[in-house]
Amino acid sequence: LVFGGSVDGCAVNELVALDGTALTAARVDAAGAAAVTPRHSAAAALCAADDYAIIHGGCECWPLEGGGTHNRVLHDVLLLDLRAMAWAVLAPAGPAPGLRFKHSLCAVAAASGNGGRRAVLFVFGGSDGAAQSDDAVPPSEQLWRLDLTLPPRPAKDVTPQLLPSPATPTPAPPHAQPAAAPAATTAR
């Protein structure tokens, strides 16, 4: 899956499924997409055990009359439930990075506890959009831990609905794409 990007100076919130074998792409309809702010340069991670993709931050942009582009840096945390194909907004427990784009996100753990399923992610680097930072450590060198409570699973899983597309989706770099977990290897 590929999410977001920018087309002709406007950020998009498209979700596109790529088939590397057939070399095809198709838009994917996910519930709640209307509430997802279009963005480019967001970070994404895959919580494979739970079938969730998590998106953090990014930059919203749109063209201005008379030329130029307006940019607004984001700091929200979005969850895409890959079984139900539905978006949700999550609130990290504890401190979280502020505005951030062009950064990295890595999911390192998921566990069950008293509060349900939890995920631990790390956010590294990126920019907050400011020309200079007042932080002792600039955003490009910061490492943050995000603790998230994952929502309960819906009672019924849903098959993703691909939208008919007469043409290949518009290229939209830069975009966020959760990386698949590498295959397990055995040490010798």
Side-chain angles (χ1 to χ4, degrees):
L1 290 175
V2 177
F3 168 70
S6 145
V7 177
D8 296 328
C10 289
V12 297
N13 67 348
E14 287 183 344
L15 187 60
V16 178
L18 303 177
D19 183 329
T21 304
L23 299 178
T24 60
R27 288 186 182 94
V28 177
D29 186 23
V36 174
T37 303
R39 67 194 66 213
H40 67 80
S41 302
L46 180 66
C47 293
D50 292 300
D51 289 331
Y52 289 122
I54 297 176
I55 309 290
H56 177 266
C59 188
E60 181 181 24
C61 65
W62 58 91
L64 297 172
E65 278 189 42
T69 303
H70 177 77
N71 292 292
R72 183 173 70 103
V73 181
L74 305 168
H75 63 88
D76 52 353
V77 179
L78 304 172
L79 178 132
L80 177 62
D81 183 324
L82 299 170
R83 292 183 195 168
M85 292 312 291
W87 288 102
V89 177
L90 299 180
L99 304 173
R100 198 68 46 130
F101 72 108
K102 293 186 177 180
H103 54 303
S104 300
L105 182 66
C106 178
V108 295
S112 294
N114 294 339
R117 296 284 296 163
R118 300 194 54 77
V120 175
L121 296 97
F122 286 96
V123 174
F124 177 74
S127 173
D128 61 5
Q132 294 183 338
S133 176
D134 294 333
D135 297 328
V137 177
S140 62
E141 299 173 20
Q142 292 177 4
L143 177 66
W144 288 85
R145 176 182 167 147
L146 289 178
D147 291 305
L148 302 172
T149 299
L150 302 175
R153 284 267 165 229
K156 180 180 176 185
D157 287 345
V158 178
T159 303
Q161 299 296 313
L162 299 180
L163 299 177
S165 178
T168 303
T170 307
H175 56 272
Q177 177 179 354
T185 58
T186 306
R188 295 184 188 243

